[in-house]
Amino acid sequence: MAETLARGPGSAYLGAMSWFPRPASPKALIADLRLFASQRSRYQWAGMAVAIIMPVLLIAGFAHDASHGIQPGPQLIYAQSWPATRTDEQIKADQKIDQAKREAAQKERQRQFQKLDQGLKKVGL
């Protein structure tokens, strides 16, 4: 019998139902907010404030960074210029000098890491 009542075109209880809720008055909204606020403790309000403020600060920080040009400025790159009459022996000599500089820098870096390793061993790491 319940099925026939629900399917009937003139059923009294389905005709009164609406798909959308009635619009609330501003007085009802204010009364709901006051009731909600009265049931919350100070800790809940503080937690809500932190939960709102932290994402706002993060978004504001990203927006600030994006609008203030954090990209590095132009960089100058210097290239060496050699005479066109340079011989192969001069090129090889320059390459040997450059290789010696690279090896010296590598040995210095290796020495620095060994010093760091010794310092860490002294403290037990």
Side-chain angles (χ1 to χ4, degrees):
M1 182 167 172
E3 292 176 11
T4 58
L5 287 176
R7 290 185 184 177
S11 62
Y13 68 95
L14 287 180
M17 292 180 64
S18 169
W19 287 100
F20 298 106
R22 290 179 311 154
S25 68
K27 288 181 182 179
L29 174 65
I30 293 171
D32 283 347
L33 288 176
R34 283 186 182 166
L35 179 65
F36 177 81
S38 68
Q39 295 175 351
R40 302 290 171 233
S41 69
R42 261 189 277 169
Y43 301 109
Q44 288 174 325
W45 284 109
M48 182 184 71
V50 169
I52 291 172
I53 290 171
M54 291 305 293
V56 168
L57 288 177
L58 287 172
I59 291 169
F62 282 121
H64 176 74
D65 281 348
S67 67
H68 282 75
I70 57 174
Q71 295 177 348
Q75 295 178 348
L76 296 177
I77 299 174
Y78 296 99
Q80 289 182 335
S81 178
W82 295 284
T85 58
R86 198 165 74 140
T87 64
D88 286 345
E89 290 78 23
Q90 290 173 333
I91 294 171
K92 289 178 183 177
D94 286 341
Q95 288 176 343
K96 287 181 182 178
I97 292 170
D98 291 340
Q99 181 66 27
K101 288 179 184 177
R102 278 194 297 272
E103 288 174 358
Q106 184 179 10
K107 285 182 183 180
E108 174 61 24
R109 186 161 173 90
Q110 191 175 26
R111 185 195 64 76
Q112 290 173 353
F113 275 116
Q114 286 174 348
K115 182 179 176 183
L116 176 66
D117 184 46
Q118 291 171 357
L120 290 173
K121 283 183 183 178
K122 285 182 182 178
V123 296
L125 295 176

